[in-house]
Amino acid sequence: MKKLLAILMSAAIALSIAACGAEKPAGSDPANKSNVEIPNPFVDCETLEEAQEKAGFEMTLPDTIDGYDSRKISAIEKELISVIFVNDKDGQICFRKGVGEKDVSGDFNQYAETEQIDMGGTTITLKGSDGKVNLAVWTKDGYAYSISSTDGLNKVTMTDLATTVNDDLVIGGDPSTWGPGNQPNVEIPNPYTDCDTLADAAREAGFDFTVPEAVNGAADRLYRVMTLDGKMLEVIYHSGEDETARIRKAPGTEDISGDFNEYAQTDTVTVGEIEVAMRGNDGMVCLATWTIDGYTYSVSVASGVSSDDMAALVSEIH
């Protein structure tokens, strides 16, 4: 298994510094140094508990990931935990958490696009190209995290899976994106369970959900339940291959929209007895979020709708 570039570079720098500070032995030949091996700082562990003991801190992550039948756990003493899930095609998903604020991703590629988003007060730096995210890095409470993906992910996918690594607001993104190097065979694990009907999805999620028959003329619907951490029920409206709208419901009060775009307009509108936050541009509302009776909701409309039309949508959802 390849070591991460970060480890290689750190060790290489340490070796080069040592070499510069030492007197060159008589008769030494640089050409004969090709077999020097960089020591592996990782210690293999049988369990996550063992890795946590060696690293000196805890790490929360899924016990299993669908499609990945084995995992390798390792740690660097008092510094870092690494958990790599492996599938039958040698695809790897590597979770990492390290002490301090240094980048633990090992991804030093140059990306065309860089953006910062705020999730629950934590700033995450996203890097990628062509609108896709290949790398996410952040620090929280004295620890560093990273997510790197050879297969670019959309921001919604990255932020949807931001509830698997940390202890409270788990910011980590898609676990399929954790890992070293180029892995062309890595498959993104699906955190969703697809359902044939809304009733099936409600049973899977453990709560009821009522949504409109159509949004902006699109009546084709996909029903899904997110199951990695807690339950979230989602209905996606589409026309052909184009997504029209996305409606979500989950227990709690956190924003579950996955939409961290900056909008020029933000208003609070009362719909019945509900206070709804509406966001959009140029007089059109693209996102609405609200909480009621212990549940949080979101409606995202791709092309935007008027405030009145969004209020009408919200009134049909419970």
Side-chain angles (χ1 to χ4, degrees):
M1 182 178 298
K2 295 181 180 179
K3 302 180 180 68
L4 289 178
L5 287 177
I7 299 168
L8 290 172
M9 292 181 68
S10 298
I13 291 170
L15 288 174
S16 65
I17 292 173
C20 291
E23 182 179 352
K24 182 178 179 180
S28 64
D29 183 0
N32 293 329
K33 296 183 179 179
S34 59
N35 293 326
V36 172
E37 293 186 0
I38 299 173
N40 184 359
F42 285 94
V43 177
D44 291 340
C45 303
E46 293 294 329
T47 65
L48 180 60
E49 289 73 20
E50 181 184 348
Q52 291 175 154
E53 183 176 353
K54 290 184 181 300
F57 54 82
E58 294 183 350
M59 183 178 184
T60 303
L61 73 166
D63 292 328
T64 60
I65 295 177
D66 189 28
Y68 290 76
D69 55 6
S70 64
R71 67 179 185 175
K72 175 181 174 61
I73 304 172
S74 59
I76 299 177
E77 191 79 19
K78 304 301 181 183
E79 186 174 341
L80 185 140
I81 296 175
S82 173
V83 180
I84 302 174
F85 290 79
V86 182
N87 65 18
D88 58 4
K89 297 180 181 179
D90 292 328
Q92 299 178 1
I93 305 170
C94 176
F95 291 77
R96 289 198 158 200
K97 177 180 179 180
V99 175
E101 298 184 353
K102 65 182 180 181
D103 185 345
V104 294
S105 71
D107 185 342
F108 296 95
N109 292 308
Q110 296 296 317
Y111 293 105
E113 300 166 4
T114 299
E115 178 183 359
Q116 289 187 328
I117 64 171
D118 179 86
M119 289 186 63
T122 296
T123 299
I124 302 180
T125 299
L126 306 177
K127 298 181 180 181
S129 57
D130 299 324
K132 296 293 186 178
V133 180
N134 294 87
L135 175 65
V137 295
W138 72 97
T139 60
K140 180 177 171 64
D141 298 333
Y143 294 96
Y145 302 82
S146 71
I147 306 168
S148 56
S149 174
T150 53
D151 296 325
L153 307 174
N154 62 53
K155 282 198 295 184
V156 172
T157 301
M158 187 71 82
T159 55
D160 275 353
L161 298 175
T163 51
T164 55
V165 181
N166 220 359
D167 297 327
D168 43 9
L169 174 63
V170 184
I171 299 173
D174 188 344
S176 71
T177 64
W178 291 76
N182 293 322
Q183 300 168 17
N185 293 324
V186 169
E187 294 182 355
I188 299 174
N190 186 1
Y192 292 96
T193 298
D194 291 340
C195 301
D196 292 331
T197 67
L198 183 57
D200 290 340
R203 281 191 293 271
E204 177 71 24
F207 52 82
D208 293 330
F209 198 18
T210 300
V211 296
E213 290 293 329
V215 177
N216 266 8
D220 292 333
R221 294 181 287 182
L222 172 65
Y223 310 104
R224 311 195 303 181
V225 177
M226 185 177 180
T227 56
L228 271 183
D229 185 68
K231 299 286 186 179
M232 180 182 75
L233 203 160
E234 174 179 75
V235 181
I236 300 174
Y237 295 78
H238 59 95
S239 178
E241 296 183 356
D242 296 328
E243 179 178 326
T244 301
R246 190 179 292 239
I247 302 177
R248 293 175 164 181
K249 176 180 180 179
T253 59
E254 297 291 344
D255 183 350
I256 58 172
S257 69
D259 185 342
F260 294 91
N261 291 307
E262 294 291 334
Y263 291 107
Q265 299 160 355
T266 300
D267 298 300
T268 300
V269 177
T270 301
V271 180
E273 298 179 352
I274 306 171
E275 296 294 313
V276 181
M278 295 189 182
R279 300 177 177 88
N281 300 308
D282 301 323
M284 302 296 284
V285 179
C286 300
L287 174 66
T289 58
W290 69 96
T291 60
I292 186 173
D293 296 333
Y295 289 93
T296 183
Y297 298 79
S298 71
V299 179
S300 301
V301 181
S303 59
V305 293
S306 69
S307 178
D308 288 343
D309 286 343
M310 181 62 83
L313 274 176
V314 170
S315 67
E316 296 186 65
I317 300 168
H318 56 84

